[in-house]
Amino acid sequence: MKMKTIIVELKDKSYKILIKSKLLSTVSTHLKSLKLGKKILIITQDKVPKSYTNTLKQNLEHNGYNVFTLVLKSGENHKDLKSLLTIIANATKNKFERNDTFCALGGGVISDLAGFAASIYYRGLNFISIPTTLLGMVDAAIGGKTAVNIKEGKNLLGTFYQPRIVIIDPSTLRTLKKREVLVGMGEVIKYGLLEKSAGVIFPNMSFIKYLKENKLKILNLSESIILNIISHSANIKAHIVSKDEKESGIRAILNLGHTFAHGIEQAYDYKTYTHGEAVSIGMCLAAKLAFKHQLISISIQNEIINLISDFGLPTTLQKTAPVDKIFRSMLHDKKVKDGKLKFILPHKEIGKVKVVSDIDLKEIKDLLTN
């Protein structure tokens, strides 16, 4: 398989996204031009197979790097200040310097945590990301958003800090459980719902049509199909980030479904719904809100909801959902401006979205209730 290379164009902060199966065993080859320091701290999770960490460690050591490893607990509820300080303490103990490197190996939680730690240790040292989950590959590892959660809300402490390189090895998806693959599909579907607004169109057909036609192959992790959906999703993300690194404009559309999702995740203490599942529910709620405001037809609303359901993702909240807690959590979201929540809503047709910020808060609460 030929390696796919996508560039995030950010002048002196530009970097490559490399996508190829079995890439994990050749990582050091792609680091030579970055002129990194000799120390690398691999920051990973207890659910990431040890064989991945060992393969990466051996490859780096074989090429002269002094490698340390740190295994943190998995789960969004561990993306916190305690884990952050554990990373910092490990780097301090091992005398990491500014030219050394933190390497995230795992899912979105580790990408966010390791990136944030890299951005604040010595006011910034090298950061590379090697995602091993679909969500990490198509979203979290790309774009430089780093964060930890605090009790007041998800991702309320964070920075924009770009990696030096992102290395994606789709073969690592083979060890994921089905639910973990579906978590990533929530974000993949998001890209299909905004690709026309992003200006990056899937060749020959809409991305949503491609996902529909290849659903079984996607769920069975067909290598060529998975490579296509990762590449297209990453290409959309890279294109948007290149235009708007710090979310002052078009990058906001990447938050489709996320204003609802972050409130849902926090209200359930990050235990009931994964990020991708919460985003899926959020996109369904966004579709309903868009229909109510006559931005889309009922057929488009239903098409969005049915697609998400067909991939085995949730489309509604539980009947016993803590609506008041979700609503309060949403009000702490970073996208609140002048006391109003900002929503990214489907607009006119599949693939297009619109930023809307004049929604009455009572309407949102009613939507969560019904």
Side-chain angles (χ1 to χ4, degrees), residues 193-194 197 253 256 344-347 349 351-355:
L193 297 179
L194 56 77
S197 290
I253 70 173
L256 173 63
I344 313 303
L345 301 180
H347 185 226
E349 60 182 296
K352 289 186 177 180
V353 293
K354 181 180 182 180
V355 181

Side-chain angles (χ1 to χ4, degrees), residues 23 29 32 66 79 105 137 143 196 316 337 354-355:
L23 203 53
T29 304
K32 290 178 181 178
N66 187 9
K79 195 175 84 177
L105 178 69
M137 292 175 185
K196 290 181 180 178
T316 58
K337 186 175 181 181
K354 181 180 182 180
V355 181

Side-chain angles (χ1 to χ4, degrees), residues 194-202 232 236 239-240 243 250 253 351:
L194 56 77
E195 69 170 347
K196 290 181 180 178
S197 290
V200 182
I201 310 300
F202 195 75
H232 186 59
I236 291 175
H239 177 76
I240 290 174
K243 282 187 169 183
I250 191 173
I253 70 173

Side-chain angles (χ1 to χ4, degrees), residues 59-76:
N59 175 255
L60 293 171
E61 288 180 336
H62 182 72
N63 285 274
Y65 292 101
N66 187 9
V67 183
F68 303 83
T69 59
L70 175 63
V71 181
L72 299 174
K73 290 183 179 179
S74 300
E76 189 74 33

Side-chain angles (χ1 to χ4, degrees), residues 24 32 37 52 56 85 87 151 186 208 248 254 277 313:
L24 194 61
K32 290 178 181 178
Y52 295 168
L56 177 59
L85 292 175
I87 297 171
K151 63 185 178 70
I208 288 295
S248 58
L254 295 172
E277 289 167 344
L313 289 159

Side-chain angles (χ1 to χ4, degrees), residues 164-183:
R164 299 292 308 279
I165 193 170
V166 177
I167 294 174
I168 296 175
D169 180 349
S171 67
T172 62
L173 298 178
R174 289 282 168 192
T175 55
L176 293 181
K177 294 179 181 177
K178 183 180 178 181
R179 185 185 184 189
E180 292 170 321
V181 174
L182 292 177
V183 169

Side-chain angles (χ1 to χ4, degrees), residues 47-257:
K47 286 188 178 180
V48 174
K50 290 181 181 178
S51 60
Y52 295 168
T53 307
N54 292 337
T55 296
L56 177 59
K57 188 173 187 290
Q58 288 169 11
N59 175 255
L60 293 171
E61 288 180 336
H62 182 72
N63 285 274
Y65 292 101
N66 187 9
V67 183
F68 303 83
T69 59
L70 175 63
V71 181
L72 299 174
K73 290 183 179 179
S74 300
E76 189 74 33
N77 54 318
H78 293 293
K79 195 175 84 177
D80 56 12
L81 288 170
K82 181 180 178 182
S83 296
L84 177 71
L85 292 175
T86 299
I87 297 171
I88 299 300
N90 187 287
T92 304
K93 175 185 173 183
N94 292 302
K95 297 181 172 59
F96 269 62
E97 299 175 357
R98 207 172 219 175
N99 200 39
D100 293 325
T101 305
F102 288 174
C103 172
L105 178 69
V109 167
I110 282 298
S111 177
D112 281 5
L113 259 174
F116 189 29
S119 75
I120 61 174
Y121 184 80
Y122 282 170
R123 297 193 179 93
L125 82 172
N126 297 309
F127 170 54
I128 60 177
S129 190
I130 306 177
T132 60
T133 66
L134 185 57
L135 186 144
M137 292 175 185
V138 302
D139 192 68
I142 303 165
K145 274 190 177 181
T146 79
V148 294
N149 306 324
I150 56 175
K151 63 185 178 70
E152 287 80 8
K154 180 180 166 81
N155 295 340
L156 289 190
L157 293 182
T159 57
F160 286 96
Y161 194 72
Q162 301 297 337
R164 299 292 308 279
I165 193 170
V166 177
I167 294 174
I168 296 175
D169 180 349
S171 67
T172 62
L173 298 178
R174 289 282 168 192
T175 55
L176 293 181
K177 294 179 181 177
K178 183 180 178 181
R179 185 185 184 189
E180 292 170 321
V181 174
L182 292 177
V183 169
M185 282 309 301
E187 291 285 357
V188 170
I189 291 169
K190 177 193 78 175
Y191 288 114
L193 297 179
L194 56 77
E195 69 170 347
K196 290 181 180 178
S197 290
V200 182
I201 310 300
F202 195 75
N204 303 320
M205 68 178 77
S206 76
F207 193 38
I208 288 295
K209 185 178 180 182
Y210 185 80
L211 297 179
K212 287 179 180 178
E213 290 185 357
N214 291 282
K215 184 184 77 171
L216 292 179
K217 289 182 179 178
I218 291 168
L219 296 178
N220 288 326
L221 297 178
S222 165
E223 187 172 298
S224 61
I225 304 297
I226 287 293
L227 181 67
N228 285 338
I229 69 169
I230 292 171
S231 298
H232 186 59
S233 300
N235 202 20
I236 291 175
K237 181 82 179 271
H239 177 76
I240 290 174
V241 171
S242 296
K243 282 187 169 183
D244 176 21
E245 181 187 3
K246 297 187 177 178
E247 206 170 299
S248 58
I250 191 173
R251 184 166 180 169
I253 70 173
L254 295 172
N255 292 316
L256 173 63

